[in-house]
Amino acid sequence: MKRVVAAIALMMLCLGVACAKGITISVGAGENWKQKRTPQVAIWLEDTDGNYIRTLYVTERASHKSWIMGPKEGRPESLPVWYHASQFDPSKKASPDLELDAVTGATPKGGIVFDAELDDRAYVIRAEFNTSFDYNAFYTKKNSGVNGQPSVIYEAVIPAGFNTASGEIRLAFSGTGSPDGSDGLLHKDTAGLTSALTIVQLVAVVGK
């Protein structure tokens, strides 16, 4: 009888929280992870229709507007896709309503590893990276301000039912953010990118 009650209780719990599942997100540092400075990073979830759900990780400088000699409007060009998706105002300090699974901080020098809990449904996970002053022959000091090359975005689908037996999901490069931060669109024209493509070596998700 006790086993039956326990099974019913577990079933009700799963119905209430959609059977939460644990995942581990790993970001492997690439050749250009720390050139002049470590990158700004945001990792977040959307549903399969492209609606923003919540932020899993964001660097402190980006979320708290702690830019060195930064303008009062902040640095919207640093992580434009995340800023627009989360409706986070880069000119204001972090909102208490910004839900984070990982505590923000300075970017680690050797990559990032953290855990998160998800409901058991399909998600799109997106990760955006940007290194300031990342100039090249195409993105110069004259035409790209302090940003240099634009942010780069990686993404993947985490299917419903994803677990430890599902193997590893690697996020694939999908485009860039707006060079000046004026929109939150994913730009597919990647001509002119060089070192921005080696900020990360891989971004992967595994079940816990």
Side-chain angles (χ1 to χ4, degrees):
M1 183 63 181
K2 290 182 178 180
R3 290 183 180 179
V4 173
V5 172
I8 293 174
L10 178 60
M11 182 178 66
M12 295 301 292
L13 178 61
C14 284
L15 289 173
V17 299
C19 288
K21 56 189 176 186
I23 60 170
T24 297
I25 298 101
S26 301
V27 178
E31 180 183 339
N32 195 41
W33 181 265
K34 189 179 186 300
Q35 194 172 54
K36 293 185 177 180
R37 59 190 66 221
T38 50
Q40 298 307 310
V41 180
I43 301 172
W44 71 99
L45 297 173
E46 297 180 359
D47 64 23
T48 53
D49 292 323
N51 300 304
Y52 170 84
I53 296 177
R54 76 176 192 272
T55 298
L56 301 179
Y57 182 96
V58 64
T59 41
E60 182 178 30
R61 205 175 286 281
S63 65
H64 288 84
K65 202 188 74 169
S66 54
W67 306 108
I68 299 172
M69 299 180 66
K72 64 179 181 179
E73 63 270 18
R75 289 278 317 284
E77 75 280 6
S78 60
L79 298 171
V81 179
W82 174 73
Y83 279 132
H84 282 80
S86 64
Q87 298 185 344
F88 178 79
D89 187 342
S91 69
K92 297 179 181 179
K93 292 192 175 182
S95 165
D97 297 328
L98 183 62
E99 181 183 356
L100 296 175
D101 278 31
V103 177
T104 58
T107 312
K109 295 181 179 180
I112 302 167
V113 178
F114 66 94
D115 295 332
E117 294 290 328
L118 307 183
D119 292 340
D120 194 11
R121 54 174 164 149
Y123 291 91
V124 174
I125 182 168
R126 306 183 94 183
E128 184 171 22
F129 305 89
N130 181 268
T131 301
S132 299
F133 311 108
D134 196 7
Y135 302 115
N136 61 19
F138 192 89
Y139 292 99
T140 68
K141 290 183 179 180
K142 291 184 178 180
N143 67 23
S144 58
V146 300
N147 212 38
Q149 296 169 71
S151 65
V152 289
I153 294 89
Y154 296 75
E155 61 183 40
V157 174
I158 303 175
F162 183 71
N163 55 42
T164 54
S166 302
E168 178 185 78
I169 295 175
R170 291 199 175 191
L171 280 66
F173 173 71
S174 58
T176 72
S178 166
D180 62 3
S182 58
D183 63 59
L185 301 177
L186 186 67
H187 296 260
K188 295 294 186 178
D189 182 4
T190 59
L193 293 184
T194 54
S195 51
L197 295 173
T198 59
I199 295 174
V200 296
Q201 185 176 38
L202 66 85
V203 187
V205 180
V206 294
K208 289 176 59 183

